[in-house]
C-alpha cells in the first residue's frame, strides 16, 4: 500500500545525501532581540546546501503538539530550484519554544526569508504569535474576490489570512505536486529526512 513504487524510491535513493554538510545550533532565548539573552535550549538545524543570509528562502513550517508523536518541522527551500537546503525536525519541542526558534532563524540566520506555516490547530497558534513579532516574514493570502481590487484594500489586515489552510482541494494539489516531483525531480527529495517520509507514505484502508 505504498504510494510510490520500489523503482521510484530507488531513483530517489540514488540521489540520497545522508549527512548534512553542517549543523547549526539554533537558540531559544528569553528575548530573540538580545544576543546576550538567557539561552534556554539549543536545537540542531541540518544544512544540506550553504545558506545565504540575505537570500529570500521559502521556509515550509509544520507544527505539532510536542508530545512525542508527530514532529514539528521546517524545511528551508531555495526559491530558484526548490532544493531543500536545510531541515529541522523534532517531536518534543513545545509551541512556545518552536515559536522562539523560528523567530531566531528569521532574525539571526535568514533575515529576508518567508515562513509558510500550515494553519492546522497548532499552526494557527504559531501564526497568531509570530504575526505580532515578525509579520513581514510571514506568508499571507487574501480572498480571490479581493484580488482584482486596489492593493490598499486587499492588503488591509482584516482581509489577510496568514499561513496556508489545508483543505481537501489543497491537499489533493499538494499530493499531485509530490507525485510530479517524484517523477520529474527526484533529486529534490534526496535528503535523508524527506526520503524517510516519502518511503513510509502509504494509502490507508479508505484510499486516503
Amino acid at each position: 500500500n505504498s504510494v510510490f513504487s520500489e523503482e521510484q524510491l530507488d531513483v530517489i535513493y540514488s540521489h540520497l545525501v545522508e549527512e548534512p554538510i553542517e549543523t547549526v545550533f539554533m537558540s531559544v532565548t528569553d528575548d530573540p532581540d538580545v544576543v546576550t539573552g538567557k539561552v534556554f535550549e539549543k536545537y540542531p538545524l541540518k544544512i544540506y546546501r550553504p545558506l545565504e543570509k540575505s537570500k529570500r528562502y521559502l521556509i515550509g513550517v509544520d507544527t505539532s503538539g510536542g508530545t512525542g508523536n508527530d514532529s514539528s518541522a521546517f524545511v528551508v527551500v531555495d526559491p530558484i530550484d526548490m532544493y531543500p537546503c536545510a531541515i529541522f525536525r523534532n517531536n518534543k519541542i513545545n509551541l512556545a519554544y518552536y515559536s522562539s526558534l523560528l523567530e531566531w532563524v528569521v532574525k539571526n540566520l535568514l533575515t529576508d526569508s518567508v515562513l509558510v506555516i500550515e494553519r492546522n490547530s497548532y499552526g494557527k497558534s504559531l501564526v497568531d504569535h509570530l504575526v505580532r513579532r515578525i509579520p513581514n516574514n510571514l506568508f499571507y493570502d487574501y480572498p480571490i474576490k479581493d484580488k482584482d481590487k486596489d492593493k490598499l484594500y486587499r492588503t488591509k489586515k482584516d482581509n489577510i489570512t496568514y499561513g496556508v489552510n489545508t483543505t481537501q482541494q489543497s491537499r489533493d494539489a499538494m499530493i499531485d505536486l509530490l507525485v510530479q516531483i517524484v517523477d520529474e525531480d527526484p533529486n529534490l527529495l534526496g535528503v535523508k529526512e524527506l526520503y524517510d517520509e516519502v518511503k513510509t507514505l502509504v494509502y490507508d484502508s479508505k484510499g486516503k
Side-chain angles (χ1 to χ4, degrees):
N1 59 345
S2 174
V3 173
F4 301 108
S5 69
E6 186 174 350
E7 290 75 16
Q8 288 174 307
L9 295 175
D10 283 346
V11 172
I12 298 173
Y13 186 80
S14 70
H15 296 280
L16 191 64
V17 179
E18 293 203 33
E19 294 298 326
I21 60 172
E22 182 184 3
T23 299
V24 172
F25 285 89
M26 306 171 289
S27 300
V28 172
T29 69
D30 54 355
D31 188 347
D33 294 324
V34 181
V35 176
T36 56
K38 179 181 177 183
V39 176
F40 294 116
E41 190 65 81
K42 288 193 174 185
Y43 292 91
L45 176 66
K46 295 183 178 180
I47 312 293
Y48 288 95
R49 177 187 285 181
L51 298 175
E52 303 171 40
K53 187 172 184 178
S54 61
K55 194 170 189 175
R56 178 161 290 184
Y57 292 94
L58 306 175
I59 305 177
V61 180
D62 192 20
T63 314
S64 75
T67 59
N69 296 318
D70 290 340
S71 294
S72 289
F74 66 82
V75 181
V76 179
V77 177
D78 191 314
I80 304 301
D81 60 3
M82 304 308 290
Y83 189 79
C85 300
I87 294 178
F88 168 79
R89 184 179 178 188
N90 188 290
N91 64 358
K92 297 271 181 81
I93 188 170
N94 64 47
L95 192 60
Y97 275 24
Y98 194 38
S99 178
S100 177
L101 200 67
L102 289 166
E103 189 175 347
W104 185 92
V105 168
V106 167
K107 290 183 174 179
N108 296 277
L109 192 63
L110 303 170
T111 54
D112 203 31
S113 293
V114 178
L115 299 174
V116 185
I117 303 173
E118 183 187 6
R119 286 176 62 91
N120 57 18
S121 56
Y122 299 111
K124 184 179 184 304
S125 297
L126 189 66
V127 167
D128 290 344
H129 177 77
L130 291 176
V131 76
R132 300 194 300 270
R133 304 283 297 182
I134 48 171
N136 294 332
N137 295 93
L138 300 186
F139 171 83
Y140 69 86
D141 200 3
Y142 43 86
I144 293 292
K145 67 180 187 313
D146 293 337
K147 290 189 176 180
D148 292 329
K149 299 182 180 179
D150 66 276
K151 184 177 181 181
L152 180 63
Y153 171 79
R154 71 182 187 226
T155 54
K156 284 184 179 178
K157 187 175 180 181
D158 290 345
N159 299 322
I160 288 175
T161 299
Y162 287 93
V164 176
N165 287 319
T166 301
T167 63
Q168 186 60 52
Q169 184 179 9
S170 65
R171 188 185 300 276
D172 290 344
M174 283 187 267
I175 293 297
D176 288 344
L177 283 169
L178 177 59
V179 171
Q180 181 179 337
I181 289 170
V182 169
D183 288 336
E184 298 178 8
D185 297 291
N187 62 298
L188 299 183
L189 300 170
V191 297
K192 186 178 186 302
E193 290 81 2
L194 296 183
Y195 175 71
D196 287 347
E197 290 288 335
V198 169
K199 75 179 181 181
T200 56
L201 194 62
V202 297
Y203 292 108
D204 65 16
S205 59
K206 297 180 181 179
K208 184 177 178 182

